[in-house]
Amino acid sequence: MQESYQRGPNPFSQLLIAIGIVLINIYIFNMFSQWIGLKLFDADVAVLLKNELFNELTTNEINAIRFSQFLTSFGGFIMSSFVIMQVFQQNPWEYMRLNKVPSIKFVLLGLVLFISLMPAVQLLLEWNTSLANHMDGSIMQLFNDLEKQNNRMYELLLKGNQGYMIGVNLIVLALVPAIGEELFFRGILYRVFENWTGKRHAAVWLTSFLFALIHFQIFKLLPMAMLAGIFAYLLFFSNSLWLGIGLHFLNNAMVVIAYALQQNG
């Protein structure tokens, strides 16, 4: 059953407000994390991120970047989502469907879908890469450079195979992004697009492609949108955001754990 939430601004205004609040908070928490980096780690995160020689960074400098990633993700998406709910004049637990736990039936369905669709995601990734390789040379080079930089940064943050560091990475790189991105994209933007268009499927895929686009990884655009779409449909059928959060965390955690196992191997 489709629920309607009409209090607060109209859907188009809600979209602009939501994106604006997230961008502002990302900037604020990014600045704050840089200040914390100088005070706690004696490291200038802004300068470190411009350094292409990531392999030469010290453990202390890597921890400063890791902390900055955590704070920016937490403030930019998790805190922003609850601020947005205040502006929308909505109960966040009801609006974002946090007040219901998915049934075992939907948990099992979500796990089966997630696992069974992995081969399709891999094929989509290969097709996506093939399409991207046919883009204009200068544009292709730009996105290729962004992709390489993102991969280098991710590998940098994944360093450290001690037990406690794996736990830290699971929080910073898997749990916090899963919660924040699900709150904002599936919890809020999906609802905004659904109210705006009046079409559930349009809301699913508008939200999913927007989610994929903000990662600036054109070579993974289609598989990321596909996974996001699955999370959105599971949200609708289970009427709970927790299922998407759990699967999103699982997807992120698999990368963290696989990298740790590779280091130990």
Side-chain angles (χ1 to χ4, degrees):
M1 180 178 178
Q2 183 173 331
E3 302 170 77
S4 178
Y5 293 80
Q6 297 300 327
R7 295 194 303 274
N10 63 65
F12 181 69
S13 298
Q14 287 182 338
L15 177 64
L16 297 180
I17 290 169
I19 293 175
I21 288 175
V22 165
L23 292 177
I24 290 170
N25 273 353
I26 286 176
Y27 176 79
I28 291 173
F29 279 90
N30 186 46
M31 293 297 102
F32 180 58
S33 69
Q34 291 184 31
W35 180 78
I36 293 292
L38 288 170
K39 296 296 181 180
L40 293 184
F41 301 97
D42 193 27
D44 190 331
V45 174
V47 173
L48 295 177
L49 292 175
K50 294 177 182 178
N51 181 11
E52 295 186 358
L53 302 176
F54 289 138
N55 291 333
E56 298 181 3
L57 297 181
T58 65
T59 300
N60 199 54
E61 291 171 335
I62 294 173
N63 285 335
I65 296 174
R66 186 179 284 113
F67 182 79
S68 175
Q69 177 77 14
F70 164 79
L71 200 58
T72 302
S73 183
F74 179 83
F77 287 102
I78 296 179
M79 288 193 64
S80 290
S81 295
F82 287 92
V83 172
I84 291 166
M85 289 295 89
Q86 292 300 311
V87 176
F88 286 7
Q89 302 173 29
Q90 300 288 350
N91 181 318
W93 305 101
E94 292 180 2
Y95 189 94
M96 294 189 288
R97 297 176 183 175
L98 294 167
N99 58 338
K100 296 181 180 178
V101 177
S103 66
I104 295 297
K105 176 181 69 175
F106 283 112
V107 171
L108 293 176
L109 174 62
L111 286 171
V112 169
L113 276 174
F114 180 78
I115 295 170
S116 62
L117 288 174
M118 283 299 104
V121 169
Q122 184 59 38
L123 288 174
L124 201 56
L125 176 61
E126 295 173 5
W127 186 52
N128 191 157
T129 302
S130 176
L131 287 177
N133 286 331
H134 288 86
M135 294 174 61
D136 176 76
S138 57
I139 298 176
M140 174 68 179
Q141 186 61 46
L142 172 64
F143 281 110
N144 194 38
D145 291 343
L146 283 172
E147 186 86 9
K148 288 181 179 178
Q149 185 176 10
N150 285 334
N151 290 340
R152 286 200 303 268
M153 177 61 66
Y154 204 72
E155 288 179 7
L156 174 74
L157 296 177
L158 283 170
K159 283 186 176 179
N161 55 5
Q162 305 95 329
Y164 78 91
M165 189 53 67
I166 295 172
V168 170
N169 284 336
L170 282 172
I171 293 172
V172 175
L173 301 176
L175 182 61
V176 172
I179 295 174
E181 291 173 3
E182 290 304 311
L183 286 176
F184 181 65
F185 286 97
R186 255 67 67 188
I188 296 176
L189 290 193
Y190 169 77
R191 181 83 77 183
V192 170
F193 281 123
E194 187 179 35
N195 289 338
W196 188 9
T197 64
K199 297 178 180 179
R200 188 179 308 130
H201 300 299
V204 165
W205 295 111
L206 283 170
T207 305
S208 299
F209 276 101
L210 187 58
F211 167 81
L213 285 169
I214 63 102
H215 286 81
F216 296 104
Q217 293 178 292
I218 193 170
F219 297 98
K220 301 173 184 175
L221 180 69
L222 295 180
M224 288 178 72
M226 179 182 177
L227 284 174
I230 293 170
F231 296 158
Y233 279 118
L234 287 172
L235 164 66
F236 172 75
F237 288 112
S238 70
N239 202 32
S240 173
L241 190 64
W242 292 110
L243 181 54
I245 290 174
L247 290 175
H248 196 149
F249 169 72
L250 176 62
N251 183 68
N252 294 346
M254 286 169 59
V255 177
V256 174
I257 294 172
Y259 190 88
L261 291 174
Q262 184 181 14
Q263 282 187 306
N264 289 325

